[in-house]
Amino acid sequence: MALERWFRRQRPTRGDDDATPAGLWVKCSACHAQLYRKDLVAHLYVCKECGHHERMPVAARIAMLTDEGSFEPWSGDVRPVDALGFVDVEPYAERLAAVQQKAGRPDAIVTGAALMEGEPVALAVMDFSFLGGSMGSVVGEEIALAAERAGEEDRALVMVAASGGARMQEGALSLMQMAKTTVALEGLASRRLPYVSVLTDPTTGGVTASFATLGDVIFAEPDALICFAGPRVIQQTIKQDLPAGFQRAEFLLRKGMIDDVVPRGELKRRLAAVIGLLRAGAATMVPGALPAGA
Amino acid sequence: MALPFEKPIEDLESKIREMQAYADEQQVDLAEEISLLEQRLERLKRETFAHLTRWQRVLVARAPGRPTALDHVGAFVDDFVELHGDRALGDDPALVAGLGRVDGAGVVVLAQQKGRDTKENIHRNFGMAHPSGYRKAMRMMEMADKFGLAVVALIDTPGAYPGIAAEEQGQAWVIAESIRRMSRLRVPAVAVVVGEGGSGGALAIGVANRVLILENSVYSVISPESCAAIRWRDAAEAPRAAEALKLTSADLLEQGVVDEIVAEPLGGAHKDPATAVAATATAVRAALASLRGLPVEEIVRARSERFRHMGRVLVDSA
């Protein structure tokens, strides 16, 4: 439970999974402005020159979305297994061990209970810095467990997605997590508990094609890459240049695929607002489970 | 066109044919010699196919002449009526939908169809569906629930199509929705991987109570070529990627991803399509029969449980 202690001890400013380069000064990855690290962190990893949203460490994300001191982790007891004995240029088992040590968590997700402007929620945050936030059996299991526990504890579920997709080192078992997570979300639907998904940069592949896009409400962060097939794959397939802004959050908003693009600073308020509105509606309804498929 | 490892088999086959022709022509009795060669051929086939590498299985799963999804449908579905269109965007020929009967009972059929030749392959987009195809599939799932028809899904796709229009129309969204819609079916569903089960595009119609796979079919989270391009930075390493991905029918049975392997005729389904489709027909009939008469709640619960327990993890005890 080292992780839990670590969360309780401090409101983290720079977690180990901070992907921005170390040092006092960092460069905005979009406009290349020199930013004082402390400022960048204080601004939720948003460049104050151009508004670019840098990828954000999990701990800072949790701190930003939850009422102070309210987060209690659920995840951490489920550990990955190298079920296939997968080896590419490096054995998967070794790669896992190295990244686990660096991240201080067993896999690419943190889940837990929290208050969001007083609203009880379950929160799941994916860690892109952990093997690209890829979904193997553990990510699938933690999401399923969080969805089920949210149902039992009468909490809405907020998902912050960031992932390269299914984890190929776990083969078809990782593909099956797409169905597993989807099935586990049914308990929320039958209890009329809101499920709100936040798509952050990047959300791709099997994660986009399963739980991440099944939210009752789907928000995305500005300029986030959100897709099924990555731009490079599409380019190789069709041998054409892609339109400007293709597969970015604003593009998907125009295409009708997401509910809104929400700047990071407004995210917590907007999430709490929609959850509050949906729950207020559900509370006026006759109690009892919805039939499956309703 | 022979697959590389089939060359010795084909050589021996043509030798037998030549000898037979010679015997007929010259009115000489070569029965003993031919019989010996045929025994040798049988042994050679057995040995070759018992030791296929995973990459060789991938090649068999994609082999020209392998029965397509609709070839299988023709063998076990009576009175098949194809129904077109998703009622929104168009009709996707890569994913064929329709109604029919199996053993007298009505079914909804979903079939990912590759072409039997280049022309049909282009028409079918090589079995790679657009969002429209998955929307059509979901429309058919609605119909299945409304009229109490079991769903039979035949999977054979390299994957959902990765293109501009497909992305704009929400390829990821429709796959996610199709997975959810299928998981909610109040009727039995049987899926059969008859060729390639390519990632999310396959799983979108693969959330079934019983998932079968033909012996030489593969089902994978990513194609060996793409996996090789990412993990080895070289698509030519696809054979190694295929080994690492553990994507054969035997692997998938061991992983619990599929429930049953449908045996193929020796030499692969493409060598004897009639026997192959007959075996699929028998297996699908049996799977449907095993699900018939179950209470609705049990059908939904069992299917959800099947997928809820997918994966391998270690759980630390507190």
Side-chain angles (χ1 to χ4, degrees), chain B residues 156-276:
Chain B
D156 189 10
T157 181
Y161 186 64
I164 293 181
E167 290 286 320
E168 286 180 352
Q169 294 161 3
Q171 189 72 286
W173 278 254
V174 296
I175 291 171
E177 282 165 17
S178 188
I179 290 170
R180 179 164 66 185
R181 184 62 194 85
M182 196 165 183
S183 77
R184 287 175 173 174
L185 279 175
R186 296 167 67 76
V187 291
V190 173
V192 194
V193 185
V194 298
E196 274 184 287
S199 191
L203 179 64
I205 60 164
V207 188
N209 295 76
R210 299 275 296 166
V211 180
L212 317 182
I213 187 167
L214 267 61
E215 188 181 345
N216 293 308
S217 289
V218 293
Y219 194 2
S220 182
V221 66
I222 187 169
S223 75
E225 289 90 341
S226 300
C227 178
I230 296 168
R231 301 250 64 97
W232 282 267
R233 305 203 170 278
D234 183 2
E237 296 285 359
R240 285 167 76 180
E243 283 302 310
L245 285 165
K246 305 271 194 293
L247 42 55
T248 66
S249 58
D251 293 327
L252 295 159
L253 187 67
E254 195 273 323
Q255 292 162 26
V257 170
V258 302
D259 303 301
E260 186 186 331
I261 296 172
V262 182
E264 291 185 25
L266 189 59
H270 61 296
K271 287 288 184 188
D272 185 356
T275 304

Side-chain angles (χ1 to χ4, degrees), chain B residues 32-47:
Chain B
E32 207 169 308
E33 288 84 348
I34 288 172
S35 159
L36 275 172
L37 281 181
E38 277 171 347
Q39 283 169 31
R40 225 171 89 195
L41 176 65
E42 180 80 5
R43 267 203 315 277
L44 180 63
K45 278 188 184 174
R46 243 174 238 298
E47 277 164 24

